[in-house]
Amino acid sequence: MSNFLSNTNPNPNKSFEVNQPPTDSVSSLSFSPKANFLVATSWDNQVRCWEVAKNGVNVATVPKASITHDHPVLCSTWKDDGTTVFSGGCDKQVKMWPLLSGGQPMTIAMHDAPIKEVAWIPEMNLLATGSWDRTLKYWDTRQSNPVHTQQLPERCYAMTVRHPLMVVGTADRNLVVYNLQNPQVEFKRIVSPLKYQTRCLSAFPDQQGFLVGSIEGRVGVHHLDDSQQGKNFTFKCHREGNEIYSVNSLNFHPVHHTFATAGSDGAFNFWDKDSKQRLKAMLRCNQPIPCSTFNSDGSIFAYSVCYDWSKGAENSNPTTAKTYIFLHLPQESEVKGKPRIGATGRK
């Protein structure tokens, strides 16, 4: 953490600051798939929504609405029609918030322990929830009981869905792969290619594999097809000398299919897995980046800068710690893949 002490700038990349951010650390960020509405969940028990207005190279944010959970909120997602937000967390329930219609939130899912991950699956018209109670549940929002409960080998730490592919990362470095055309059966169970605890997952846009990030500053690029195993690789990132930081977030660009990593070193980077190169390294902020996301067309990259609770309450300083959410407008050169220098063949 030594480098943070010398760096006092939360915004060295001159990103746009979101107005009225949460009063405690941000646990998830989700953009509406239909419009530039940004939702953030926080350890302050709140789910907040902002309208993001992009005008050329300028961005303005207007707080629109918020709801409250009984305990810290850990995860969020939008329904594919952009009308509704789902949020879950330490109160062991998921609230469905019909945000666009101004309706009241309703509890639509329950677990026996905190809910770490939530995903709306439009192809199935179901919500999937992953919990520390070692189950994955599927919910029809009109019914009070889950339509299916899948036992997990351990607590759910991360989840990614791109139908028909779902990957769930649990404690003990299990990565459980499901084909959602047959969700009751594990398609494949893999031990993570990374030696340390799984922090985040992101399915390839073509559903042929996934990225996995760990607490040990490393990302694995993993293909599912047995014939493609030679293409798998891992790479180090979010490190500074002997200091090693967690990779907290992995986001594929919705257009170019390059991806972003964000870490507890306070940096975010853009990468091209196909040419195996880093496209852009951004300057380090003065606190960790616990979560990030692209908007639907990839023109805005949202990221939060705040304490990540990795060193517990004793290292939290609520009087001085400030939580930020920033919006970065990626240049095409930062997010568009390019052939590796020296690569053969015509462009």
Side-chain angles (χ1 to χ4, degrees), residues 31 41 43 54 82 115 119 134 151 184 190 194 201 213 219 224 226 237 263 286 296 303 320 332 334:
F31 264 110
T41 62
W43 289 81
K54 185 168 170 281
I115 297 168
R134 306 182 186 207
Q151 296 300 315
Q184 289 94 339
I190 303 162
L194 310 179
L201 290 163
V219 170
L224 289 169
D226 290 337
C237 49
N286 68 340
S296 61
Y303 62 101
T320 57
E332 187 168 272
E334 295 171 2

Side-chain angles (χ1 to χ4, degrees), residues 10 41-42 53 58 69 72 76-77 94 108 114 157 169-170 191-192 194 212 223 230 241 288 329 345:
T41 62
S42 171
N58 285 313
H69 281 247
S76 59
T77 193
V94 171
I108 53 123
Y157 284 169
T170 75
V191 176
S192 171
L194 310 179
V212 54
H223 296 76
L329 306 185

